[in-house]
Amino acid sequence: MTVNTKRLHVITWGCQMNVYDSGRMADVLAPLGYAPTELPEGADMVILNTCHIRDKAAEKVFSELGRLRLLKLAREAEGRKMILAVAGCVAQAEGAEILARAPYVDIVLGPQTYHRLPEMVARASRAAGAVIDTEFPAEQKFDFLPDAAAPQGVTAFLTIQEGCDKFCSFCVVPYTRGAEASRPAADVIAEARRMVDLGAREITLLGQNVNAWHGTGADGLAGLVRLLAEIDGLARIRYTTSHPRDMDDALIAAHAEIPALMPFLHLPVQSGSDRILAAMNRKHTADEYRALIGKLRAARPDLALSSDFIVGHPGETEQDFEATMQLIRDIGFAQAFTFKYSPRPGTPAAGAGMQVPEAEKDRRIYAVQALLREQQAAFNAQCVGLTIPVLVTGPGRHAGQIGGRSPWLQPVHAIGPVSLAGQVVEMTVTASHTNSLTAILKQERICA
Ligand code: SAH
Ligand code: SF4
Ligand code: F3S
């Protein structure tokens, strides 16, 4: 057994796939003696796992690097080393610029090469000068990652698919994560089993286009979910993020037929205007999205929906924006994420004419957020009085409290013993808030 003698601090931005990747990077470094630490002060290695999706996300990396440089210098003054690594999507997109702007960075690595971290760390420890690895190697990193993984807790993320071939006008993901690739069903099932052995009761399957999963050993995502649902001790399955174009009938049927598949779906639509959807290269209309939601709700009437919206895409007029507001009113979302369009270098929309002024984007995002907040509050309010199965995840924020998750992904707080963590228990909802529910235990245990 390796004795953990070095401290590793990881800072994560971006999507859930980055959260998963950060965990895996720590797993890869564990055999080298690195153990996670909460603070960068005193760390032997710091990894920034970055996001390039919007301009602000990328800028944060450079300000954090400036702060870490001071820590690194202070450590060097004591004759000790701090390896500073930049990973993730900013590293992939702007590797050279990072080294130009922050020459004190030791390692730059893209999302597809972190299985090679031990070798990079060895090189960085030996020599002066930065190590950069932003290839898309032919070998799939998953085949080279250790089986041993630190437990994630009662709820866990599992990446099953990576990359994107869709090329939406505004998005960097096809460039930073590369082409779509799916992991074989057998690998996914083996990893899910290990997660359950480590205490996971809910697994969220991840992919930039998770419902385009087409790995070997199962018939599409629906087939894979059916296989996972057979794992003993796995009470709940979710998946994110999906594209409307890949929402096939088999997956819709899975929502009707598989009790472990939770009645919550994040299905980004981005806009309610056909003109803008076409300009975005989303390859579906607003009415096709409405029809899809109709089918999903027919299959699973209690399905709650979440989405992503972008306001101010180039060419978006007041009328286009109104079409988005109308789509939101027509569908009714339980939750949603809203973004002001942010031009990303190298993407088609960034060079397009008719950019929307910032002040107009601000006005539109306030309006759309107000409407979505109202819908979220209404959705939460209708849960009051219901008795629902809650997966207890651990202690709550206050003494004596436990926290958990509803089937519809709402955080739930109740008074109760932490010993219930990992169990699905019935609770009666007594109050609703913007982002969460308060409930009381109905002592009975319904599922281990
Ligand atoms: N693969 C997923 C989401 C990827 S990124 C999908 O296709 O839905 C997450 C969200 O960030 C997107 O859904 C979009 O709403 C937002 N986003 C992506 N690029 C953006 C940009 N340039 N400006 C603003 N928001 C953006
Ligand atoms: Fe980006 Fe579009 Fe791919 Fe989603 S589907 S990751 S928004 S290019
Ligand atoms: Fe960001 Fe990369 Fe995820 S750009 S949203 S971290 S895929």
Side-chain angles (χ1 to χ4, degrees):
M1 218 181 107
T2 320
V3 182
N4 287 323
T5 51
K6 292 178 232 157
R7 278 173 288 182
L8 169 70
H9 179 68
V10 186
I11 303 175
T12 309
W13 290 283
C15 59
Q16 289 143 329
M17 305 194 57
N18 260 14
V19 176
Y20 174 86
D21 287 349
S22 289
R24 298 307 278 147
M25 285 193 271
D27 294 336
V28 167
L29 291 172
L32 273 67
Y34 284 93
T37 176
E38 290 293 316
L39 292 171
E41 286 82 9
D44 298 278
M45 179 164 181
V46 177
I47 302 178
L48 303 188
N49 195 9
T50 62
C51 174
H52 201 239
I53 204 81
R54 283 166 293 275
D55 194 35
K56 268 192 198 147
E59 270 314 306
K60 274 189 208 149
V61 177
F62 288 101
S63 60
E64 186 66 39
L65 278 173
R67 201 169 70 95
L68 289 169
R69 176 172 167 260
L70 301 178
L71 286 181
K72 187 174 160 90
L73 284 174
R75 223 172 136 77
E76 273 164 9
E78 294 167 6
R80 287 149 68 188
K81 203 170 161 67
M82 182 180 104
I83 298 178
L84 189 51
V86 181
C89 292
V90 177
Q92 189 65 47
E94 293 183 3
E97 196 188 330
I98 292 170
L99 293 180
R101 278 177 72 175
Y104 46 88
V105 166
D106 301 289
I107 297 174
V108 172
L109 74 153
Q112 304 308 337
T113 55
Y114 59 75
H115 57 296
R116 298 178 180 169
L117 255 175
E119 187 191 316
M120 295 181 220
V121 170
R123 275 164 60 201
S125 315
R126 267 197 315 268
V131 178
I132 176 159
D133 191 345
T134 50
E135 280 181 46
F136 288 105
E139 83 260 15
Q140 267 230 17
K141 68 175 175 229
F142 294 107
D143 296 341
F144 294 86
L145 293 173
D147 282 352
Q152 295 185 44
V154 173
T155 60
F157 290 136
L158 200 177
T159 294
I160 65 166
Q161 182 279 338
E162 284 217 81
C164 180
D165 300 336
K166 303 268 190 314
F167 292 93
C168 298
S169 62
F170 49 83
C171 183
V172 293
V173 170
Y175 313 97
T176 61
R177 294 272 172 167
E180 276 181 20
S182 301
R183 297 176 68 187
D187 289 10
V188 173
I189 291 162
E191 188 164 342
R193 284 218 171 92
R194 288 195 294 269
M195 287 176 166
V196 170
D197 288 344
L198 291 173
R201 292 291 167 267
E202 174 178 299
I203 292 182
T204 302
L205 306 174
L206 299 180
Q208 268 93 15
N209 277 279
V210 75
N211 60 341
W213 184 87
H214 57 263
T216 53
D219 196 5
L221 182 59
L224 182 65
V225 169
R226 279 179 203 278
L227 293 175
L228 289 166
E230 287 167 18
I231 295 178
D232 262 354
L234 181 57
R236 294 180 166 191
I237 302 169
R238 304 177 187 274
Y239 61 92
T240 198
T241 295
S242 297
H243 193 292
R245 294 284 299 173
D246 295 314
M247 212 62 224
D248 60 18
D249 287 345
L251 192 51
I252 296 172
H255 277 278
E257 294 160 13
I258 305 173
L261 189 55
M262 288 293 99
F264 179 91
L265 180 63
H266 181 61
L267 194 61
V269 63
Q270 316 295 354
S271 169
S273 152
D274 288 347
R275 245 170 43 80
I276 296 300
L277 286 169
M280 287 175 162
N281 193 31
R282 292 291 289 183
K283 297 201 171 75
H284 65 80
T285 63
D287 277 348
E288 281 165 354
Y289 185 82
R290 285 185 179 89
L292 184 56
I293 300 302
K295 273 181 159 182
L296 279 156
R297 282 184 165 151
R300 181 83 210 221
D302 67 339
L303 187 78
L305 289 152
S306 156
S307 194
D308 291 343
F309 296 93
I310 296 180
V311 300
H313 183 274
E316 188 187 73
T317 62
E318 187 56 35
Q319 248 181 335
D320 294 317
F321 175 65
E322 183 44 43
T324 299
M325 295 290 276
Q326 192 53 48
L327 180 95
I328 296 170
R329 284 184 212 109
D330 290 347
I331 289 180
F333 290 93
Q335 174 193 308
F337 301 93
T338 50
F339 308 103
K340 285 193 283 182
Y341 168 72
S342 165
R344 308 307 293 127
T347 60
M354 294 181 67
Q355 297 285 335
V356 176
E358 213 46 40
E360 188 52 33
K361 287 187 204 169
D362 283 336
R363 198 189 62 75
R364 290 180 193 173
I365 201 160
Y366 290 139
V368 76
Q369 284 177 342
L371 176 58
L372 287 162
R373 246 197 324 271
E374 238 174 67
Q375 292 194 341
Q376 183 171 6
F379 178 78
N380 289 346
Q382 76 183 17
C383 296
V384 176
L386 297 181
T387 298
I388 60 171
V390 175
L391 174 61
V392 180
T393 48
R397 232 173 302 153
H398 306 294
Q401 250 192 3
I402 48 173
R405 262 184 197 178
S406 80
W408 308 282
L409 207 57
Q410 296 138 303
V412 183
H413 303 285
I415 303 294
V418 179
S419 58
L420 289 176
Q423 292 178 29
V424 177
V425 295
E426 295 244 302
M427 294 191 193
T428 303
V429 180
T430 53
S432 72
H433 318 283
T434 318
N435 297 311
S436 64
L437 304 173
T438 304
I440 49 170
L441 282 180
K442 219 189 123 193
Q443 286 305 342
E444 183 191 358
R445 204 178 110 175
I446 56 169
C447 172

